[in-house]
Amino acid sequence: NGFGVTGPVDYTNAIWTSSPRIEAVHGITIRDLIRHTNMELAKRLGIFFSIDNNAKSAIVSEYQHLMEKNNGTFNDDLALLYIGTGVGSAVVINKRLLRGRQNYSGELGHAFMPNTGTKLLTIEQSLCGECDYRERIPYILHMLNCVFGIDRFVLVGHSMFEYIDSSDSKNPNKRIHLREDLLPHLMDRRMQFTVSSTKQYCMAEEGRGTPTTAAFGAAIEAYRCLCRYDFESNSVNRTNLAFNISW
């Protein structure tokens, strides 16, 4: 079982440290999320948990999906943009998830925007509508291209999907469909966020196409924890043993 949450996560100690959208979040543990009695029950049943930033969870899912779709031959570096209430990002370089020492690496939504008036705003803070996504996301793609040399990206997150009314209550999947306006606009502007040092333009990869990508990734991380746990040891650390995720 895994949790994908917004904001910074202390992955080593399995703590949701804070959230840019929820002020009450501060030092939340898995025990806090599922309550003490459920945590004790999980321990008795040998259930493993992990908790991670939703963008990093999502890229675990998406990279695994691309590996499976390409019969294990997908070797490209990949960037992911999580388009939700704000915008998160994560990257895989040399088939390894980039975390950095504090698990903050790859989060470019917190970079400051130029020319936003007297008050400096981050890209995430400057988002206030659909048009802003179209105007702001190229800045992140440009940074990904310049800083990491990444020219492959995938878009996920609940704001990448539209919800439509449906009278078919037996098939709720019909109520969700992928937005078709954002990606073509970004691709039309790709020359503005592509540098000459890269071999090709920034190109979008087709992902899972589901709004629950982060949940998939969190489950994959928890599964890796389960596979790597030493049942013969007396260690009480049963969470986040898959820190160095690689393919």
Side-chain angles (χ1 to χ4, degrees), residues 21 83-87 123-137 159 179 181-182:
R21 301 291 173 180
I83 313 300
T85 308
V87 54
I123 294 175
E124 181 170 287
Q125 290 171 337
S126 67
L127 293 173
C128 60
E130 290 188 12
C131 62
D132 291 304
Y133 282 112
R134 298 180 184 182
E135 297 304 315
R136 303 297 190 251
I137 289 176
S159 290
R179 281 180 55 178
D181 60 329
L182 182 57

Side-chain angles (χ1 to χ4, degrees), residues 18-172:
S18 63
S19 171
R21 301 291 173 180
I22 310 173
E23 294 182 357
V25 171
H26 180 74
I28 302 296
T29 66
I30 292 176
R31 187 183 297 272
D32 296 327
L33 288 173
I34 68 173
R35 305 185 68 171
H36 176 78
T37 53
N38 290 330
M39 190 68 180
E40 293 303 309
L41 176 62
K43 284 185 176 180
R44 290 198 299 270
L45 296 176
I47 298 175
F48 292 77
F49 289 96
S50 69
I51 183 170
D52 205 357
N53 170 264
N54 54 5
K56 287 184 170 63
S57 294
I59 202 169
V60 169
S61 173
E62 293 296 348
Y63 203 90
Q64 183 71 28
H65 171 71
L66 289 170
M67 287 286 289
E68 294 170 359
K69 188 171 71 171
N70 292 278
N71 297 317
T73 60
F74 187 82
N75 299 312
D76 294 343
D77 294 341
L78 182 73
L80 175 139
L81 298 184
Y82 193 99
I83 313 300
T85 308
V87 54
S89 58
V91 300
V92 169
I93 297 178
N94 292 329
K95 301 176 74 172
R96 180 178 290 273
L97 174 61
L98 179 66
R99 291 193 181 278
R101 184 171 182 178
Q102 297 181 321
N103 201 34
Y104 296 165
S105 297
E107 283 283 353
L108 297 182
H110 298 288
F112 286 107
M113 282 287 298
N115 303 319
T116 52
T118 56
K119 182 180 179 181
L120 284 176
L121 297 175
T122 65
I123 294 175
E124 181 170 287
Q125 290 171 337
S126 67
L127 293 173
C128 60
E130 290 188 12
C131 62
D132 291 304
Y133 282 112
R134 298 180 184 182
E135 297 304 315
R136 303 297 190 251
I137 289 176
Y139 284 99
I140 299 179
L141 292 174
H142 180 70
M143 285 186 285
L144 289 166
N145 206 233
C146 290
V147 176
F148 298 108
I150 295 176
D151 50 27
R152 299 284 180 182
F153 69 95
V154 61
L155 299 178
V156 301
H158 58 79
S159 290
M160 282 302 300
F161 297 85
E162 292 178 319
Y163 295 81
I164 58 175
D165 292 330
S166 172
S167 58
D168 187 1
S169 59
K170 295 182 179 179
N171 190 0

